[in-house]
Amino acid sequence: MSFLFLVAFTLISAFLLSKYLSRPRTRSTLPGGSLGYPLIGETLSFLRAQREDRGPEWLEERISKHGSVFKTSILGSRTVVIIGQAGNKFVLGADDGVLAAKQPLTLQTIGGKQNILELTGYRYRLVKGAMMTFLKPESLQKYIKEMDELVKTLFLTETKGRDTIQAVVFMKELTFSIASNILFGIKDDYTREALFDDFSLAFKAIMSLPVNFPGTVHWRGRRARSRIVNKILPIMEKRKEELLKGIRSPSSDVLSCMLELRDENKQPIADDMIIDNFVTLMIASHDTSAILLSLMIWKLARDPEVYKKVLEEQLDIVKKREGKEQKHLTWAETREMKYTWRVAQELMRMIPPVFGSFRKALKDTSYGGYDIPKGWQVLWVACGTHMNKDIFDNPTEFDPSRFENPSKPIPPYAYVAFGGGLHTCIGNEFARVETLTIVHNLVTTYEWSQVNPEEVITREPMPYPSMGLPIKIKPRVLTT
């Protein structure tokens, strides 16, 4: 009995001593909140709320107890969550030396440690510059015809002999094909399809428990990333040869452009950095667009008034082509789709594709009277301002007109569908053109209806119609 007492006393003493030694040596004022269970923190409840599209409610439970700044532990890291416009500005506008774009362990594992979301300073500017060469409006104008042709072809292939399609899967395949062809010059169908399957697995692992055990989502995602790397390395080697022989130009595609990049010492950037940014840009350039397009199809099927206005705008563009030898969409025509894009903006306000984003504190800092210790991650969330009635009148009402010369201007860092500050999404214009091109072809060529009218939205980790959005689809008969 005395031996058991001695063991228990030793264990308790060791535990108390470790807690004492781990305490900060200086007085710290952390925000209120709970770090949850050891290791997993509150990750399970957070992910469950996301799957059930109750992320705002998960936040509100904690805001009601602790205020607009609170602590938690999710996705493997202790976290300070900051809600509101001022908080968005603090996080998104912070210097990289204070709050760096260091993502959770799961995103680092899939995207790689040298992806653009992790880079700072010179390396960030270098990679961003290469990507912007292909994502800026001047470049996108050259892609419109190819994008339009590709969309038309894939729509015909998908709907041939079928009256029902899975809209979510098709939008993912469609946007992946556009990114592969236009941004990366990967035009081989077999390679593209194999990459698509692996990217689908990798993407699911981004918001998962970081448990690398056989059978887990995280484990499958890591294996998928390895296969992606194995597929892209031979493509990179071939591109290097083509660039050396002058067969291919650095301006041909993003991959070729990055292969020609030189660092501050005039040396080629490492293959690892190119691969990490290929993976990250591919995910960013197709999955977020697929989300928005799926939500557009879902919304237009459920809201006849909005659908009618979108259809009228798109048919008016077709009508203006009469008498012209014009077969493809033009850049100028996408600029005329103002109402259609306002619908997209309003959808992203109410159902933001990205729930929020993380930063990592590189040094001790503070916000709102609370300390943020070095090494902790900081999370901002879109719904904190998107659904704020002091910023948007009647925020639960779907109203695209709020983006048309609003009487109440939207303040900076309040509408953050594409982030803000230095790390504003560099693909926002690409997403706009891609969305409008696909919606134009869809509404002018087809009619559709939901198979499951009561289908709700879920997040795994991004928001999608929970049943994959099966739709009945048929060719539209245009009347003169």
Side-chain angles (χ1 to χ4, degrees), residues 81-120:
V81 182
I82 299 177
I83 309 294
Q85 181 195 355
N88 290 349
K89 183 177 181 179
F90 168 75
V91 178
L92 295 170
D95 186 271
D96 278 341
V98 179
L99 294 181
K102 298 292 182 182
Q103 301 301 314
L105 176 62
T106 48
L107 198 153
Q108 283 184 29
T109 303
I110 301 303
K113 294 182 179 180
Q114 299 187 74
N115 75 74
I116 192 169
L117 301 177
E118 300 283 329
L119 299 178
T120 58

Side-chain angles (χ1 to χ4, degrees), residues 355-395:
F355 184 75
S357 186
F358 294 92
R359 297 291 186 270
K360 184 176 181 179
L362 297 186
K363 58 176 68 172
D364 291 340
T365 186
S366 62
Y367 173 78
Y370 295 108
D371 292 329
I372 302 174
K374 176 183 177 181
W376 282 45
Q377 66 183 11
V378 180
L379 171 65
W380 65 269
V381 293
C383 60
T385 50
H386 285 198
M387 301 305 290
N388 187 325
K389 65 179 184 301
D390 294 327
I391 298 173
F392 295 100
D393 293 332
N394 302 314

Side-chain angles (χ1 to χ4, degrees), residues 315 319 322 476-480:
L315 289 179
K319 187 177 180 180
E322 291 178 3
R476 174 178 297 282
V477 179
L478 294 177
T479 57
T480 57

Side-chain angles (χ1 to χ4, degrees), residues 378-446:
V378 180
L379 171 65
W380 65 269
V381 293
C383 60
T385 50
H386 285 198
M387 301 305 290
N388 187 325
K389 65 179 184 301
D390 294 327
I391 298 173
F392 295 100
D393 293 332
N394 302 314
T396 58
E397 177 184 335
F398 189 87
D399 180 15
S401 69
R402 68 175 82 245
F403 292 96
E404 178 189 8
N405 301 319
S407 57
K408 184 178 180 181
I410 301 171
Y413 295 98
Y415 182 71
V416 284
F418 292 105
L422 178 64
H423 292 276
T424 297
C425 175
I426 62 175
N428 54 2
E429 189 64 14
F430 180 85
R432 187 189 71 82
V433 172
E434 182 179 46
T435 299
L436 294 175
T437 300
I438 294 172
V439 170
H440 172 77
N441 279 280
L442 177 63
V443 301
T444 59
T445 312
Y446 301 96

Side-chain angles (χ1 to χ4, degrees), residues 37-102:
Y37 298 106
L39 300 179
I40 64 173
E42 294 191 300
T43 300
L44 292 178
S45 67
F46 176 72
L47 294 179
R48 188 184 310 116
Q50 293 290 79
R51 283 194 301 274
E52 298 170 359
D53 197 30
R54 292 189 304 100
E57 287 85 347
W58 187 90
L59 293 170
E60 193 54 46
E61 290 173 10
R62 288 149 182 79
I63 293 169
S64 63
K65 294 178 183 177
H66 311 295
S68 60
V69 183
F70 64 87
K71 69 175 181 286
T72 182
S73 178
I74 51 177
L75 301 176
S77 297
R78 294 185 176 190
T79 306
V80 173
V81 182
I82 299 177
I83 309 294
Q85 181 195 355
N88 290 349
K89 183 177 181 179
F90 168 75
V91 178
L92 295 170
D95 186 271
D96 278 341
V98 179
L99 294 181
K102 298 292 182 182

